[in-house]
Structure formats: C-alpha cells, structure tokens
Amino acid sequence: MDLKYLPRAKNRSSDKIATAFSRRTETTYPDILLSLLIPTLILLHLFISPYTKVEESFNIQATHDILAYGVPTEDIGQRLKAEYDHHTFSGAVPRTFVGALLLAGVSRPVIGWCTGPQAQSLVRGVLGLFNACALLLYARRVYRAFGRNTGRWYLLLQASQFHVIYYASRTLPNMFAFGLTTIALSNFLPVPSSRAALIKRYRLSVYLITLTGVMFRSELALLLFPILVMLAVAQSHLSLSWAIITAGLLGATVGLLTTISIDSFFWQKWPLWPELQSLFFNVVDGKSSEWGTSPWHYYFTSALPRLLLNPLSPFLLSLSLFLPSTRRPAFFILIPHLAFITLYSIQPHKEWRFIIYSVPPFTTVLALSFAHIYNRRTKSLLYLILSLIFIASILASFVASTTMALISSLNYPGGQALAQLHAFADGEKKVLTVHMDVASCMSGVTRFQERHPPPTLLGNNATLWVYDRTEDEAKLNETSFWNRFDYVLAEDPTMVKGSWNVVDTIGAFAGVRALRPEEDGGLVEPFLEGRGNWKQLGLEMEKSFRQLVGGWWVGIEMKPRIKILRREIVEKAGWVKRPGQEA
C-alpha cells in the first residue's frame, strides 16, 4: 500500500521546499474574508433563531442556573434542589455539567450587560464562536496540507452547509464535543512536520478525543479506534504505540477526574459518571430505541447527504478516490470516518448529530475534488464546464442552507409565545402568574426568558412574573390547580380547566404553497412577526415584488401550535375584562 500521502519527518534538505510552501499559503485579503464567513454565518443563524429546543434544554438551563445563582458553597444540597432546574426536570439520564460550567465561566464577565433573552444569545454566541475557531483552525491546516485553492474551497463548502453552521451555537452535547474533536482531527491532516512535531500532534489529538469522549460523547471511542488502526498501519516508522497509549490514558484520566468531581457535586450523587450511565441506558439497555429507530443505511443514504448538502457530494467523493492526485489523501481521510459511521450504524436509534464530527473531513475530500477540477479549468472545455457546475452547486447550497435556516426559525412557537406574552401583559398587574405546558417548554421556553430576579441578569421589572412548568398529570386534572394562574401557554386549550380566552395563537411552519393573484399570504409576515416597522416595510416590499410577477407568489403555511390563554373573571356584576382585552 502506498502511504506517501501521510506527513513524513522533515530533514534539512526539505527546509527550502517547506519555506517555499509556507510562502504560497500566506494569508491574503480573500482568505481573511473567507475565514470571516464562518463565524459571521454562525452568529447570523443565532440572530435568526435565538430560541432553543428540548434537546438543548439541559445545558442552556444549567448555564442559566450557574450564572443566576452561582455555585453553592453552603447548604449545597438544599440550594441545588431549590434553585437548579435539573433537580426538578432531571431527564432520562444525568448529563454532564462540564460544558455548562465552562460556558458560564467564559460568559460571566460580560453577562451583566444583558437582559434575559440577550444573555441566552450571548452564551450561545460564545459556544458558536468556539466552534467557529475550531473550524478555522481546521481550515488553516487544510491550507497548509493541500494548498490555498483547496483551503478556499473547503471554507466555501463548509460555510454553505446548514447543520454545522446552524447548530454550532446550540447547546447540544454533540456541539460541545464538536469543537474539540475538530481541533483533534485537524492534527491528522498531512501538514509537513518534523518527526517530533508529528508525534506531538498525534498525541494531542488522541488526548483531546479521549478527553471529549469521556466527558461529552462516548461514541467518539468508535471514531478513535479506526483512526488508531490507520496510524498503526501508516506510521509504524514513528513508533507511535507508547506515545498514543500514554496520551489516551492521560486524556481518559483527566476527563474522568473532571466529570466525576463536577457532576457528582451538581447531581449530589457520588460517584457519578454521566456518560457511562448514558452508554448503559442507550446501548446496553437499548432504551434509545424508544425515541425511534432507523434502517442500517440511514447515515449513508439520508444523514450524510443532508449534512454535506451539496448536490454533487456523492459524485465528488467518488471522484476523489479515482483521481491520481487525490486518491491517497482521500482514502486516508475517508476510511476512518466510513468505519466510524459503519460501526455506529449498528445502533438502531440514529440521529444526524451523532456523526457530525465527520463533516469537516468529508468536506475536505470534497474540496480536494473541487480544487483538482478548478485548477485545470483553462486546460480544456470539459474542466471549465465542470468548474462552472461546481460553483453553481455551491451557490445552490447557500440558497438551500439559507432557506432551511429561515424555515427552522419558525419552529420555536413556545419561545415566541412567551415573548409575545411579556410584550403585551407586562405592567398589567404587580404580580402575574403563567403556566407553560410541555409543548411550550419543548419549543423555545427557557429560564433565560423568564422575567424575575436575580437582577444581575434581568434588571428591575414593573411586573413580578411567576412561572410554572408542572407536568404532573394528577395536578393538571385538578380545577383548583388552574385557579392560581392569570395566563397559560398551551398547545391544547381543552386540557386547561376553567374559563379562559384565547388572546393570541403562535404558529409553526407547516409547508410552502403557490399563491394565486387573488389569494392572501406571502413569505415575509411569518419571519417578521413582532418586528414592528421592519414587518411593515417587508410587507410593502413583498407587495411590490408580487405586482411585478402578476400576483403569483409563494406563501408560507403556518399551523397553530401554542395558544396564549387569559383567565376570564366572573363577578356578581358579570364578566370583567382585563386591561387591553376586547369588549
């Protein structure tokens, strides 16, 4: 097997070549602009979709609680139980506090300048920028390993994808692991290095992957195994065995000490290793199948194409294995990740986020094929046509990614409902109580949005808001339970006991349809709901465009999801309306 793709130790005779290579990869203004594209898009996606969903809830709530209440040093058990969300809503298995603690620690110096919702965006922005930095470091290694053109194509391909950019700022456990794993994988790229530097990079990578796997996502063991096999085959001349073993043991030890000490404290259970419990729950006991199962080929036929997004991805991946100039690097990049995905396919419950760590390497191989064709565009008409098709495919991916981001922003009715309630009811009374049902909490409601002390996060408010998220069905069936609330956010109003008025309904995305000239509707209104003058300006612009095309248009369909209910008050004199309520 020809292994000369992989980096070899430099000798003195190669120093001039390395110096010339470094000059060819010096940063230019186009490179800077391309590099800014990834963090800019991550923050833009955060701005478009500031709310979160249930998969992100543990870490976002834990970050809030650490920021709001601090880490208790006295009456620890009582304070954690009274103030921290996870003791009330613990979930199926314990999750680690390591990511939330790091996020809160980095955010704390500037969190006092933000109100609740802005504070949530800030902590998400910190995570998003960390992942952006990891991607840029990886891109820099692509530049150094394969040259400027390949590096530029990598950045464009990565920026045009949806899932990595959209979820980079979301507090999923996978996205805490993503940045560290991406940094680790960047060290396996064939950057020219001395023997000592090469061994140091490999040690760091193995250390980071084991550390991350122990603390955040145990499936990374399935990724590390084929990588180590590949290194053992390809780099036997470096005698990596002992170096790899010690790095792995050190990463596992540091990870274990960190997660057990932190999580045993916050969960008040000793000793507690959350990822081990998650592994037993999901894999050994097979409980993950209760959240749905997918066929064995799901990752290859559905998840991976959606993650890469570019319509030419299957062709370009195949092409990279046949082109003489890309065959070897493509082979050694792809094989460990194909093995990882194949091994993970044994698990019945599958989600795209479980294999998101493989997206940068796959994107690197796409960039190799892009660069090979584009560099030869002046040599023949075929290469020129293919280059134009490739460029068009990236533009199409950007359009698709933007469309998916905008549509995804319409799927957080719970968060939007609570924001609407605050907007029109604040100041109505000195104290307002509101119950939020499960559907609301699963689609955007977090503690960052709640308006109540501590003032370090939220400031002084005219109204003291009291929130309730009770899920106990026995209590929910008692009429007396509902008597203490002024407002309710509910998906199904019939489940709410007593007399209530629907004052607003928040919808969620239900589809797209063609509009005839005589039909009302459009694209703008759902995206600019609650944006004041921006909404009016957008509607006027859309109306002008629609007139230009004869009235035919495309409309967003929204289905009612969360209803804002206000209690009716009946006295002897009859029904008494609340301030602002229609007669």
Side-chain angles (χ1 to χ4, degrees):
M1 184 181 293
D2 190 348
L3 305 179
K4 65 182 180 181
Y5 144 73
L6 288 173
R8 299 287 182 174
K10 291 193 302 181
N11 52 42
R12 292 181 180 179
S13 63
S14 65
D15 285 345
K16 292 182 179 179
I17 297 175
T19 301
F21 181 83
S22 66
R23 286 173 180 170
R24 291 203 310 270
T25 57
E26 288 178 358
T27 303
T28 64
Y29 286 116
D31 297 319
I32 294 173
L33 291 175
L34 285 175
S35 297
L36 290 174
L37 193 59
I38 287 180
T40 300
L41 286 174
I42 288 174
L43 294 179
L44 182 60
H45 282 65
L46 167 58
F47 174 76
I48 292 172
S49 294
Y51 303 112
T52 61
K53 279 196 173 180
V54 62
E55 296 89 350
E56 310 155 56
S57 63
F58 172 80
N59 280 304
I60 199 69
Q61 305 286 45
T63 304
H64 167 276
D65 294 344
I66 294 169
L67 287 169
Y69 307 113
V71 178
T73 56
E74 297 178 355
D75 301 323
I76 296 172
Q78 294 180 0
R79 283 193 57 192
L80 287 173
K81 187 174 182 180
E83 297 171 343
Y84 275 60
D85 183 80
H86 70 287
H87 279 283
T88 305
F89 302 95
S90 57
V93 291
R95 308 304 290 175
T96 182
F97 268 82
V98 174
L101 191 62
L102 289 171
L103 204 54
V106 175
S107 305
R108 179 170 290 280
V110 293
I111 202 72
W113 299 344
C114 304
T115 59
Q118 287 73 38
Q120 176 170 300
S121 295
L122 173 65
V123 297
R124 282 187 53 197
V126 169
L127 177 61
L129 289 176
F130 168 71
N131 284 323
C133 290
L135 287 169
L136 292 179
L137 174 62
Y138 186 95
R140 184 59 184 166
R141 296 278 168 79
V142 173
Y143 268 71
R144 295 182 61 196
F146 303 114
R148 173 173 288 129
N149 282 340
T150 303
R152 288 175 174 177
W153 284 118
Y154 169 80
L155 284 171
L156 283 170
L157 286 163
Q158 190 71 76
S160 67
Q161 294 167 2
F162 168 71
H163 289 84
V164 169
I165 302 298
Y166 186 81
Y167 284 89
S169 68
R170 297 193 169 274
T171 54
L172 294 162
N174 311 79
M175 299 318 297
F176 283 100
F178 177 80
L180 293 172
T181 307
T182 301
I183 293 171
L185 293 175
S186 73
N187 287 317
F188 292 119
L189 293 172
V191 177
S193 304
S194 66
R195 180 181 184 277
L198 199 60
I199 294 176
K200 185 177 180 181
R201 279 175 27 215
Y202 290 160
R203 282 175 53 84
L204 176 60
S205 294
V206 173
Y207 171 82
L208 287 175
I209 293 176
T210 53
L211 176 78
T212 306
V214 166
M215 293 193 304
F216 295 114
R217 296 299 303 183
S218 58
E219 70 258 19
L220 290 174
L222 296 178
L223 175 59
L224 182 60
F225 174 71
I227 289 176
L228 293 181
V229 172
M230 183 65 73
L231 286 180
V233 172
Q235 296 287 14
S236 57
H237 66 289
L238 289 178
S239 302
L240 291 171
S241 300
W242 179 244
I244 294 295
I245 290 172
T246 55
L249 288 174
L250 181 61
T253 302
V254 173
L256 275 172
L257 291 175
T258 301
T259 186
I260 290 176
S261 59
I262 290 175
D263 294 312
S264 297
F265 172 84
F266 280 103
W267 287 96
Q268 290 293 286
K269 297 177 183 178
W270 179 267
L272 178 64
W273 180 9
E275 269 309 294
L276 182 62
Q277 289 204 12
S278 177
L279 180 67
F280 272 91
F281 180 86
N282 291 316
V283 180
V284 179
D285 297 336
K287 295 294 183 66
S288 63
S289 297
E290 296 176 4
W291 279 264
T293 60
S294 301
W296 66 269
H297 55 78
Y298 167 81
Y299 286 132
F300 294 103
T301 59
S302 179
L304 195 56
R306 286 186 290 120
L307 286 169
L308 298 177
L309 193 59
N310 191 286
L312 299 179
S313 294
F315 168 73
L316 291 168
L317 291 174
S318 302
L319 182 66
S320 68
L321 296 174
F322 288 97
L323 293 172
S325 64
T326 63
R327 183 184 303 134
R328 286 188 293 273
F331 178 83
F332 283 102
I333 291 174
L334 289 179
I335 289 300
H337 294 275
L338 290 172
F340 162 61
I341 295 172
T342 301
L343 289 171
Y344 214 163
S345 296
I346 299 172
Q347 181 71 4
H349 177 66
K350 301 175 177 66
E351 295 184 39
W352 60 263
R353 59 190 175 97
F354 297 161
I355 63 166
I356 197 169
Y357 325 105
S358 295
V359 171
F362 272 95
T363 306
T364 303
V365 176
L366 294 180
L368 285 171
S369 294
F370 264 78
H372 176 89
I373 300 299
Y374 186 78
N375 291 345
R376 290 161 175 78
R377 65 192 182 280
T378 59
K379 294 185 176 181
S380 74
L381 181 61
L382 176 61
Y383 281 127
L384 178 61
I385 293 173
L386 287 175
S387 297
L388 293 175
I389 292 173
F390 292 165
I391 293 171
S393 72
I394 290 183
L395 294 175
S397 296
F398 270 111
V399 172
S401 177
T402 303
T403 302
M404 293 167 71
L406 291 172
I407 289 174
S408 297
S409 70
L410 302 177
N411 288 322
Y412 301 89
Q416 293 173 350
L418 186 56
Q420 289 281 85
L421 176 60
H422 286 152
F424 70 72
D426 193 48
E428 185 178 289
K429 290 172 59 179
K430 284 295 183 183
V431 179
L432 282 174
T433 55
V434 54
H435 171 78
M436 302 167 291
D437 72 350
V438 173
S440 302
C441 295
M442 291 178 66
S443 59
V445 170
T446 69
R447 301 188 85 180
F448 273 110
Q449 289 179 270
E450 297 178 0
R451 292 187 176 184
H452 56 60
T456 53
L457 283 180
L458 304 176
N460 297 321
N461 296 294
T463 298
L464 174 62
W465 289 81
V466 180
Y467 303 89
D468 177 79
R469 292 180 289 156
T470 299
E471 297 179 4
D472 188 333
E473 291 188 9
K475 290 184 178 180
L476 295 176
N477 286 325
E478 297 175 1
T479 303
S480 58
F481 168 80
W482 300 98
N483 290 338
R484 55 195 174 109
F485 299 115
D486 299 292
Y487 288 94
V488 172
L489 306 184
E491 184 177 29
D492 184 4
T494 62
M495 301 298 294
V496 182
K497 310 299 182 184
S499 298
W500 300 82
N501 289 327
V502 177
V503 295
D504 203 354
T505 300
I506 308 300
F509 179 77
V512 179
R513 68 185 183 92
L515 297 176
R516 296 176 177 275
E518 66 274 10
E519 291 182 298
D520 295 328
L523 294 169
V524 171
E525 187 169 5
F527 299 114
L528 296 180
E529 191 65 48
R531 302 273 183 173
N533 294 334
W534 287 106
K535 177 182 176 181
Q536 188 59 37
L537 177 62
L539 290 173
E540 291 175 0
M541 292 178 63
E542 183 179 40
K543 183 178 179 181
S544 300
F545 279 116
R546 191 169 179 178
Q547 290 174 348
L548 291 175
V549 294
W552 291 90
W553 202 241
V554 177
I556 298 289
E557 287 190 324
M558 303 288 286
K559 60 180 177 183
R561 274 296 307 276
I562 304 298
K563 294 179 173 59
I564 303 176
L565 308 178
R566 178 160 46 194
R567 169 174 298 284
E568 284 187 359
I569 297 180
V570 180
E571 297 182 353
K572 292 181 180 180
W575 178 74
V576 179
K577 67 176 183 178
R578 292 185 177 276
Q581 184 174 342
E582 295 81 358

